[in-house]
Amino acid sequence: MKRKAVGNGGVKRKPIQLQEEEKKVEEEKNEQIMEQDEEKQEQKSDDVMDEEGEEENDDDYYDEDIPDEDASIQEIQVDFEFFDAVEDDWHSLKTLLARYIPMPNWSGGPFADKIIAQTGIGSVIKTSDEVYGFITVFNFQELFQEGAFMKQVAEFIVNSAPADCSSAFSAIVQDTTNGVGLLLNERVVNIPPVLTPPLHEKFYEELREEVQDFDNQRFHFKNYILLCPIYYEKDLKQTTKKSQGQSSKRSRVKDDKVINFARPEEEIYYNLASMKWEIPRPASATTQDESEGSSSKERWTFGGMMKESMMVVVINESKIAGLVEQ
């Protein structure tokens, strides 16, 4: 058998022309591969740029369409001022007095009339001609001679005194040589407490001027009576803490009940009082003003969680200076 000749170490070589053509084809392939790689790289760069652009657009979208929380919160400044009561304030005063006293036939209308007629003493808190509160005082002993309704109010307060206070309180009221003032301190719940000190300071300054400068002895009071709305709940844990000396700014403990004052400054009156007692507000009691729809029983009992009541406080005139300082 004839063998094929194989030169160059047994490696069969291609013709030179064929080698050059294959080399050219190989170079073209390499160029195509390089071009494809470049195109892929450029596409990636374009994709990255598109994504960045979309992110910027998204930021713009959120910036434009979603309001900044801080920007949406605006501080509203409200200016409250003190004025004498006028006829236009009658309905607001009557509403504020709707639950002044737990009398079945109580209506704030006659007291609103008296507040407006009594010029020079007391102030109403106003903003934009709306009344949000007031403070004033009536001569309590004069109420017995001012018609059937006023007399009934005065007698209701006198008869509410418990046995341990009844004699002493009756003696104060019957002593015509020393006047007794019935303080009225009413306002809506959300009035800023910062108004309280200047309101009380101005009020007692007006009383001093009325007595000293104008010699109006009708407003020379030896004692003051204040009816304070309170609410309470049984809280034995808080009662225990208080018995251990831990005090609360806005509550006191009576028996096993934690007492909260609707108006914080009235706790100062309570602490300085010479005598005090509670007038329970029956759950079924409805005043004339309440029956007209001016208030809701549930609203005043915090959805049934709190028990509403009334505290009668009697404070001597000698304590007033210290009260105003506090």
Side-chain angles (χ1 to χ4, degrees):
M1 182 172 58
K2 191 174 180 178
R3 298 185 59 180
K4 295 181 180 177
V6 177
N8 297 327
V11 178
K12 190 175 181 180
R13 302 192 65 180
K14 296 179 181 179
I16 294 175
Q17 184 178 0
L18 182 59
Q19 288 182 10
E20 290 178 355
E21 289 179 358
E22 289 181 349
K23 183 178 181 181
K24 186 177 180 180
V25 171
E26 186 69 24
E27 288 176 355
E28 289 177 354
K29 287 183 179 180
N30 290 336
E31 288 178 0
Q32 290 178 357
I33 293 172
M34 291 178 64
E35 288 176 359
Q36 291 174 356
D37 290 341
E38 289 177 359
E39 288 177 358
K40 289 181 180 179
Q41 189 65 31
E42 289 177 359
Q43 184 64 38
K44 288 182 180 179
S45 299
D46 292 341
D47 291 341
V48 171
M49 292 179 66
D50 290 341
E51 289 177 0
E52 291 177 351
E54 289 176 1
E55 290 177 358
E56 291 178 359
N57 292 335
D58 289 342
D59 292 340
D60 293 341
Y61 170 80
Y62 287 113
D63 290 342
E64 291 175 3
D65 296 342
I66 298 180
D68 186 357
E69 290 184 3
D70 294 337
S72 65
I73 299 175
Q74 296 181 355
E75 182 176 331
I76 300 175
Q77 183 171 349
V78 179
D79 294 325
F80 292 93
E81 297 180 283
F82 303 155
F83 296 91
D84 289 330
V86 295
E87 288 290 341
D88 290 342
D89 301 332
W90 188 88
H91 287 286
S92 296
L93 294 171
K94 181 176 181 287
T95 301
L96 287 168
L97 287 162
R99 294 177 62 82
Y100 173 69
I101 190 170
M103 283 177 51
N105 63 338
W106 164 255
S107 174
F111 268 38
D113 290 332
K114 188 172 177 64
I115 292 170
I116 293 169
Q118 184 173 275
T119 58
I121 296 294
S123 300
V124 295
I125 306 171
K126 278 187 178 183
T127 181
S128 302
D129 294 327
E130 292 291 332
V131 177
Y132 289 89
F134 69 88
I135 185 171
T136 192
V137 64
F138 296 158
N139 187 308
F140 184 72
Q141 290 139 321
E142 290 181 357
L143 296 182
F144 290 92
Q145 287 82 42
E146 291 189 11
F149 180 79
M150 295 295 187
K151 181 180 180 181
Q152 188 176 2
V153 173
E155 288 178 343
F156 180 88
I157 295 173
V158 171
N159 294 333
S160 70
D164 57 341
C165 297
S166 181
S167 297
F169 184 59
S170 295
I172 288 174
V173 173
Q174 294 169 7
D175 184 3
T176 56
T177 60
N178 291 302
V180 179
L182 178 63
L183 279 173
L184 289 89
N185 178 43
E186 301 287 334
R187 63 176 182 270
V188 297
V189 175
N190 58 346
I191 281 288
V194 70
L195 292 174
T196 302
L199 181 66
H200 283 254
E201 289 173 8
K202 179 177 174 58
F203 168 70
Y204 286 111
E205 183 181 344
E206 288 177 347
L207 278 181
R208 285 193 298 270
E209 291 177 354
E210 194 70 20
V211 174
Q212 297 175 5
D213 299 346
F214 299 100
D215 195 28
N216 189 347
Q217 297 304 310
R218 291 180 57 245
F219 294 99
H220 185 196
F221 302 123
K222 184 70 174 177
N223 290 281
Y224 293 90
I225 303 168
L226 177 64
L227 274 61
C228 310
I230 61 171
Y231 53 92
Y232 60 83
E233 61 178 335
K234 287 193 175 184
D235 188 341
L236 297 179
K237 290 182 180 180
Q238 191 167 352
T239 303
T240 303
K241 288 181 180 180
K242 289 178 181 298
S243 66
Q244 295 173 352
Q246 297 185 16
S247 61
S248 172
K249 232 177 182 182
R250 300 185 61 179
S251 62
R252 286 290 181 269
V253 175
K254 183 179 182 294
D255 301 327
D256 62 342
K257 296 177 293 189
V258 180
I259 300 175
N260 299 273
F261 289 81
R263 294 180 283 269
E265 72 275 12
E266 292 180 350
E267 186 175 348
I268 302 175
Y269 284 88
Y270 177 90
N271 292 335
L272 297 175
S274 57
M275 61 182 75
K276 53 203 144 187
W277 63 87
E278 184 179 349
I279 306 178
R281 185 184 291 277
S284 59
T286 301
T287 68
Q288 179 179 331
D289 288 345
E290 287 178 294
S291 65
E292 295 172 1
S294 61
S295 58
S296 164
K297 185 189 299 182
E298 185 174 355
R299 171 188 169 192
W300 287 96
T301 56
F302 299 88
M305 296 177 63
M306 294 285 188
K307 173 72 174 177
E308 188 195 12
S309 190
M310 182 71 65
M311 185 70 68
V312 181
V313 170
V314 181
I315 184 170
N316 191 271
E317 185 272 339
S318 62
K319 302 290 186 181
I320 296 299
L323 183 149
V324 174
E325 289 178 1
Q326 293 187 51

